[in-house]
Amino acid sequence: MTILCVRFQLPSADEAALPGLLGLLEEFTPVVEALPPDGALADLRGAERYFGRSAVELASVIRVRALALHGVDCAIGAGPGPMLARIALRAARPGLTCEVPEDPDGIAEFLADRAVGVLPGVGTATARTLCDYGLDTLGRVAGAPVSTLQRLVGAKAGRELHEKANGIDRGRVVPNGISRSLATERPFSLDELDPDRHRRALLSAAEELGTRLRAVDKVCRTLTLTVRYADRTATTRTRTLKEPTAHSAALTRTAYEMYDALGLQRARVRSLLLRAESLGPAEQASYQLTFDPADEKLRRIEEAADRVRAKFGAGAVMPGALAA
């Protein structure tokens, strides 16, 4: 085992604790990739040789330290590659490490009976298409001809799907920092049924993200919405923006579109989490030129509002819908 995929049991997706937990992993290896809001990948190839212990044994030490130093338990998946470690994490439970065997036969046996939807990158629509043709498990996908998969999901996707189902893991752990994303959560004091209150919470979250991005001269390329329900389940949707932006109106519009696409009917919502991801320097971002006077007016108002907030505080200026 060389790769660990760790999910920390943080209360209510409290990301404030994540940097410290990433630091804990970095005591074992410098190759750590943050997976906000509560996870990380760690490449332990060097650590195994240095400490003379397997990745699963090191996982036990990491779990004990996380509990002792941060009061946080974790579930851990271990595998020869990042994809296999992520799949193993799905079968892990807090306090346990689920490991994928390293030999090809062991990998094939581990994957054979698992639903095709557990593969990273396989979304609901792709999984539904495969299931319609009886390819509902990874074992069946692995045994299907590549040409058949390519006809169903496309040439490149079909080839990659066949490789992944056969346990071929070409991924690698890319060290990054928690700063590559910004997030804000809007919890409700009581489980909320009113869609108007949901939208006001999204407006507030998007305004905050836009302000924070502009304050550090960053733009984001993707936006992720996580809706947490009263039964502790959650739905997550991610959308790539038309262009990198820190414009609050664009972030709000995208958040509304993702929320509306969920088609929630009388859903008891406990909290809404909005995350700006794939951050980059604002000065390096390219923009589509526009001659829309309304958009230009909004941007000038936004600049003036940022100056007022910088002088008098975050609550000095807010959208009228939030003033009440």
Side-chain angles (χ1 to χ4, degrees):
M1 298 302 141
T2 57
I3 308 297
L4 296 185
C5 187
V6 185
R7 183 177 65 241
F8 299 104
Q9 304 299 303
L10 300 179
S12 303
D14 179 15
E15 291 185 51
L18 187 55
L21 292 164
L22 293 179
L24 186 153
L25 294 176
E26 289 169 352
E27 294 177 6
F28 295 85
T29 172
V31 188
V32 176
E33 180 178 349
L35 301 175
D38 57 2
L41 286 168
D43 187 337
L44 296 185
R45 282 177 292 185
E48 287 178 308
R49 292 191 293 269
Y50 182 82
F51 292 103
R53 296 183 179 275
S54 69
V56 174
E57 292 173 324
L58 292 174
S60 299
V61 179
I62 290 169
R63 179 178 294 108
V64 170
R65 289 194 178 183
L67 278 169
L69 300 177
H70 301 273
V72 173
D73 199 356
C74 55
I76 302 177
M83 179 196 74
L84 294 170
R86 286 173 182 256
I87 295 174
L89 178 64
R90 288 175 171 262
R93 295 291 180 269
L96 298 175
T97 299
C98 179
E99 56 181 306
V100 181
E102 295 189 60
D103 60 288
D105 291 339
I107 292 173
E109 183 179 354
F110 180 86
L111 295 177
D113 295 329
R114 300 189 183 276
V116 69
V118 305
L119 277 182
V122 175
T124 304
T126 301
R128 186 184 304 113
T129 298
L130 294 171
C131 290
D132 288 343
Y133 286 88
L135 303 174
D136 56 343
T137 65
L138 294 181
R140 292 176 177 174
V141 173
V146 177
S147 58
T148 299
L149 298 175
Q150 290 177 323
R151 284 196 296 271
L152 293 177
V153 300
K156 181 180 179 181
R159 183 174 62 254
E160 292 178 350
L161 179 62
H162 189 265
E163 288 184 351
K164 290 178 178 179
N166 280 281
I168 300 174
D169 192 348
R170 301 187 186 278
R172 62 190 182 91
V173 180
V174 180
N176 64 2
I178 194 66
S179 61
R180 287 184 60 83
S181 71
L182 290 176
T184 184
E185 186 171 17
R186 292 296 182 269
F188 297 105
S189 56
L190 298 174
D191 297 332
E192 186 56 67
L193 294 166
D194 188 353
D196 290 335
R197 290 183 178 272
H198 298 166
R199 294 175 72 87
R200 283 199 292 272
L202 288 175
L203 172 60
S204 172
E207 284 285 328
E208 179 185 329
L209 282 183
T211 301
R212 291 168 62 187
L213 286 169
R214 294 190 297 275
V216 294
D217 294 322
K218 299 284 188 180
V219 292
C220 69
R221 290 176 173 81
T222 58
L223 197 64
T224 296
L225 169 65
T226 300
V227 182
R228 303 185 187 279
Y229 305 105
D231 61 357
R232 299 182 183 276
T233 61
T235 302
T236 300
R237 292 291 183 269
T238 299
R239 182 165 298 187
T240 301
L241 302 169
K242 294 180 180 179
E243 62 182 21
T245 187
H247 187 26
S248 295
L251 298 176
T252 302
R253 184 164 54 249
T254 303
Y256 284 168
E257 289 172 356
M258 288 190 290
Y259 173 81
D260 292 338
L262 292 176
L264 301 180
Q265 299 292 329
R266 301 283 296 172
R268 294 163 57 89
V269 175
R270 182 154 294 177
S271 69
L272 295 164
L273 179 75
L274 201 60
R275 178 190 310 283
E277 298 177 311
S278 300
L279 306 188
E283 65 271 13
Q284 296 180 10
S286 57
Y287 300 96
Q288 177 65 46
L289 293 176
T290 176
F291 297 99
D292 182 2
D295 183 70
E296 292 298 325
K297 181 179 179 180
L298 281 176
R299 291 179 185 272
R300 289 197 300 270
I301 293 173
E302 200 170 67
E303 292 174 3
D306 287 343
R307 291 195 294 270
V308 173
R309 292 189 187 104
K311 186 173 183 179
F312 298 103
V317 179
M318 66 181 65
L322 302 177

